[in-house]
Amino acid sequence: MSRARGVAQPMPVMERRERVDEDEICPVCKSSRYLNPNMKFLINECYHKMCESCVDRIFTLGPANCPVVGCPKVLRKAKFKKQTFEDIAIEREVDIRKRVHKVFNKRPSDFDTLKQYNDYLEEVESLTFNLIHGIDLAETEKKLSAYESLNKSSIAANAALAASEAAAFTHNQELERQSIIAARQAAAQEIEDEKREAKEAKKDMVRALAHAKDEDEAKRIVAESEKKIALKRSSARRKEEEAKLKAAQGMAGIKASLLAGSRRQRMDEEEDTGPFDPLGGYTDKSKYFVVDSSYDIPWLADLPNRQDILSGGYFVEEYYQRCLFEAFSGLSIIPEDAPGSDISMAD
Amino acid sequence: MTIRTGGIGAPLPLGSSKSSATAPGLQNAFIENKPPKAKPIASAPPAAPAKLGAELAEDLNEEIKNKYTKDKKIGEGTYAIVYLGHTKTQPPTRVAIKKIKAQTILTSGLSMDAIREVKYLQELHHPNIILLLDVFSSKNQNLNLVLEFLDGDLEMIIKDTRGIMYSLADMKSWMLMALRGVWWCHTNHVLHRDIKPNNLLISSTGVLKLGDFGLARSLSDPYRPMTHNVITRWYRPPELLFGARFYSTAVDVWSLGCVLAELLLRVPFIAGNSDVHQVELICNVLGTPNEENWPGVTSLPGYAVPSNNPGQPPGFWETMFGHSGHEGVRLLKGMMELDPRKRVSAKSALEDPWFRIEPRPTRPDKLPRKGGTEGERKVGEDLQRVAGGDEGEPGGGMGGPRGGNGSMAARGKGVARKLDFGGL
């Protein structure tokens, strides 16, 4: 609109102004941020932006038409909200996805096979896509409501499950946080106690020394107090370790409760403990032949003397092995079953 | 060129029945594994007219071709174009389609790399070796290899020192999988000859697989020389550096030893910038090879060493690799033994107690991984690379052993982009 009024202006300047205006001027009342620094924009289900004061002005007395020219929607004040994403298209898509997800909330565990789940996901996605891009709107809406009424109970059950999971998660987080705080406080307390005790012990020792009769007694007092301190330290350490163990156990409990739902993951862990097979289930033994350490082949008789061949790492045993392997390879394969059999048959 | 078209699904008779039990998911893919180029040369029925055979092959080829859809190009090089594709099944599986340009490098036919890759991958079926799903030819007689799509490699993980931390158990797991793949190659008499972190690919489920069989060959017959110009320099064993023309499975074990050292250090262990420098560095670490520690070494054609170097003191290995434990250091030393005859084999390395003691190897799906689209780009880069012909130096000539890739990515880097003022 502003463009229509400003035709006389040189074009580039106009372009720039419009860009800045987008965020600065309410498209409905044209009041700018310069006059009203606290201006806030709100949107409703038709995703037309307008400032707060416009919303108050138009919708306080009840539902009214959207003030943007050409928009047929009737809006209510209660449904206005702040924009989360800068891009209005994304805002709209997220809203639609939220809405679809509320209805289509099945989980992988509700399906027998992965294929079924994937098909389901694909269907949901195509439905969402249609809603976003306005393809077959009426039909898609019908589908959505049909599904909703058909699966009312399972939707409710899954929603409840999700809510309880979320609650459990926040509960666990809270527990974890508290245990950390407790541990920190305990540590601080311990340091404090230690300091206090050390001070007291020193005071005691000085007092005792003041009353000591001779040097020997003084020495004994010093030794005793040292022993006491050492004893205290070791007992303190033991206590500390106990506390740590307790905390660790608590954490393990939390982790276990978090993992309780994921059965599959635990099954994976168990697989690891089988016996180790270095060759991964394969073998290089043949049931047809055993390789001897040497064969009497005239033309190979010279080989052991050929230093230039042997020192390069040539192993004649590998040659024996290969000859036997090639002689017997393919024996166990039935031509009809073998891959590519149609060709070998033609040979 | 000889491409075996016989139906040897799994080379070992006994292994074949067992392998299907251990790797159910992988074996299914092979039901459709047709021999690659059922062109007229492959097999024409003797009695029927030749035309019929050709037509049959044509149909077969078409059938395989129609199983896959090419989605997008993820890399192009002089040697091959790599596409990301998927199967037309439900649900679709991602695959990498490597289209080899027929008449570019060798005017007389296909490049050796492609032939080797098809020849060996077709025969080697193992969970730790990249799967060749199908081979078909498209128009202009282009050869298309349909490979399993793997989105990462070990080099990416080792190099990402900031983003990825891995533990001893993770390293054990990777080594275990790499050794199993190499052991399976060796059991089936195939030398990989280009093992490096770059070629140890990692699947989306974390399984490590041996890839890039462009330099592989089967064990040679006695007295028949092989080329010594294989394996990327940093991973090349001393016997190859000394120009040995008769070698064996021990070369791959050395490379794996280098990979283990690199996993532990997170930088390449012995990184020479020329062949001479590489020999010098090896002598520096392990001592100069002589008749004492390596009988017969002086008879190797390219034997030339710098002045006698005693090598690092015994404590060196413990300080450098101590975090892998005593067993780990022992295994590493065994794999990096100078004399190939004393080097451990892949199998005895697998049976090493290092893999049995705590911590046990991590399960593949729990291994650290690199996310994002990084992997896709990487696959494109890796597969398109020219691995070098038979006599060419692998990956060399393009600035260091790790050069070679990225040459395409670098293209167009310096070109300024057109500025769009309309959008301002």
Side-chain angles (χ1 to χ4, degrees), chain A residues 33 43 93 133 135 158:
Chain A
R33 194 176 289 282
I43 49 165
E93 183 169 339
H133 295 272
I135 308 162
N158 273 337

Side-chain angles (χ1 to χ4, degrees), chain B residues 3 14 32 78 89 106 109 178 237 245 281 292 301 317:
Chain B
I3 293 175
L14 198 68
E32 291 298 317
T78 41
T89 53
L106 299 172
R245 303 208 136 242
L281 288 178
E292 234 168 84
W317 293 86

Side-chain angles (χ1 to χ4, degrees), chain B residues 63-269:
Chain B
E63 197 182 296
I64 294 168
K65 193 170 152 187
N66 288 336
K67 278 194 335 203
Y68 304 97
T69 315
K70 275 180 192 171
D71 288 337
K72 65 171 181 190
K73 197 152 117 181
I74 48 180
E76 175 167 3
T78 41
Y79 161 61
I81 306 175
V82 183
Y83 297 92
L84 177 66
H86 62 82
T87 58
K88 286 180 185 165
T89 53
Q90 264 311 325
T93 319
R94 288 211 286 181
V95 293
I97 300 178
K98 186 169 174 180
K99 180 173 162 189
I100 287 146
K101 298 176 183 169
Q103 267 89 23
T104 47
I105 293 187
L106 299 172
T107 41
S108 55
L110 288 163
S111 74
M112 275 305 287
D113 293 46
I115 294 167
R116 284 177 161 155
E117 198 145 13
V118 173
K119 189 170 159 186
Y120 296 114
L121 279 183
Q122 234 206 339
E123 307 253 339
L124 294 169
H125 300 169
H126 187 274
N128 298 121
I129 292 174
I130 192 170
L131 259 178
L132 177 69
L133 296 165
D134 265 319
V135 181
F136 63 87
S137 69
S138 52
K139 50 183 188 298
N140 310 336
Q141 302 278 301
N142 275 335
L143 193 60
N144 289 265
L145 313 188
V146 184
L147 293 157
E148 179 183 12
F149 181 81
L150 300 173
D151 38 7
D153 63 40
L154 207 53
E155 188 192 349
M156 250 161 57
I157 288 171
I158 293 173
K159 270 190 171 174
D160 191 3
T161 44
R162 282 199 195 154
I164 299 178
M165 307 256 275
Y166 51 72
S167 65
L168 183 56
D170 300 335
M171 289 186 253
K172 272 188 196 178
S173 180
W174 282 319
M175 274 316 282
L176 184 67
M177 291 189 279
L179 272 166
R180 279 179 182 162
V182 170
W183 165 75
W184 189 245
C185 290
H186 291 177
T187 301
N188 292 292
H189 315 100
V190 173
L191 302 179
H192 184 281
R193 304 203 298 181
D194 197 15
I195 289 169
K196 51 180 169 177
N198 208 337
N199 283 339
L200 300 174
L201 309 172
I202 289 172
S203 79
S204 54
T205 51
V207 179
L208 182 144
K209 296 177 188 235
L210 215 52
D212 194 350
F213 278 68
L215 282 174
R217 67 159 292 157
S218 63
L219 269 178
S220 96
D221 294 334
Y223 305 119
R224 164 161 304 185
M226 296 182 268
T227 172
H228 60 269
N229 220 342
V230 285
I231 308 188
T232 307
R233 187 186 303 123
W234 297 347
Y235 306 92
R236 201 180 298 165
E239 65 264 29
L240 291 183
L241 290 164
F242 291 146
R245 303 208 136 242
F246 307 94
Y247 49 87
S248 184
T249 50
V251 294
D252 286 340
V253 175
W254 173 279
S255 306
L256 274 180
C258 293
V259 173
L260 173 56
E262 187 168 339
L263 269 173
L264 289 162
L265 297 176
R266 296 201 81 151
V267 285
F269 179 37

Side-chain angles (χ1 to χ4, degrees), chain A residues 82-296:
Chain A
K82 272 197 87 178
Q83 205 173 328
T84 313
F85 300 96
E86 199 181 356
D87 189 341
I88 227 93
I90 290 175
E91 179 84 31
R92 182 167 164 267
E93 183 169 339
V94 168
D95 285 345
I96 291 175
R97 281 185 188 279
K98 265 187 202 156
R99 185 176 146 225
V100 173
H101 194 72
K102 220 177 237 173
V103 178
F104 287 90
N105 60 358
K106 283 198 177 175
R107 290 148 176 264
S109 55
D110 291 340
F111 296 91
D112 295 335
T113 62
L114 183 66
K115 174 101 170 70
Q116 281 176 349
Y117 180 55
N118 282 337
D119 288 347
Y120 162 80
L121 284 182
E122 176 141 19
E123 196 194 314
V124 172
E125 188 54 38
S126 61
L127 217 125
T128 316
F129 187 87
N130 282 354
L131 283 178
I132 290 166
H133 295 272
I135 308 162
D136 294 338
L137 262 187
E139 204 173 308
T140 317
E141 288 288 355
K142 217 189 280 169
K143 253 192 226 166
L144 195 74
S145 55
Y147 179 89
E148 191 169 3
S149 57
L150 260 175
N151 299 291
K152 223 166 224 167
S153 62
S154 78
I155 290 170
N158 273 337
L161 194 59
S164 74
E165 267 177 12
F169 182 72
T170 46
H171 179 67
N172 275 335
Q173 291 233 304
E174 184 57 28
L175 277 184
E176 212 165 297
R177 208 173 57 86
Q178 278 173 1
S179 73
I180 288 167
I181 290 173
R184 202 176 291 154
Q185 278 172 349
Q189 181 70 36
E190 204 158 307
I191 291 167
E192 191 72 14
D193 284 355
E194 218 165 79
K195 268 187 197 158
R196 195 166 40 78
E197 270 166 28
K199 215 184 244 171
E200 267 169 23
K202 200 170 183 191
K203 224 186 251 170
D204 281 353
M205 192 177 75
V206 170
R207 206 178 297 132
L209 279 176
H211 293 287
K213 285 177 194 116
D214 52 17
E215 207 172 308
D216 279 350
E217 200 180 344
K219 267 183 191 160
R220 196 172 48 80
I221 288 165
V222 170
E224 230 165 57
S225 80
E226 267 172 5
K227 206 195 264 174
K228 222 185 250 169
I229 288 170
L231 205 74
K232 236 175 220 162
R233 259 189 206 145
S234 75
S235 78
R237 201 173 299 140
R238 206 178 314 129
K239 225 190 265 168
E240 198 178 315
E241 262 160 27
E242 266 168 28
K244 253 186 206 162
L245 198 71
K246 222 188 230 170
Q249 275 167 351
M251 290 295 263
I254 291 168
K255 292 267 157 61
S257 71
L258 268 178
L259 283 174
S262 54
R263 215 174 339 121
R264 221 178 56 191
Q265 192 163 347
R266 265 188 300 159
M267 263 160 64
D268 281 357
E269 305 281 338
E270 280 161 20
E271 259 176 50
D272 258 355
T273 51
F276 175 75
D277 179 8
L279 302 183
Y282 285 71
T283 179
D284 53 1
K285 299 270 186 308
S286 170
K287 58 180 169 185
Y288 296 112
F289 60 85
V290 178
V291 188
D292 270 353
S293 56
S294 77
Y295 291 87
D296 189 17

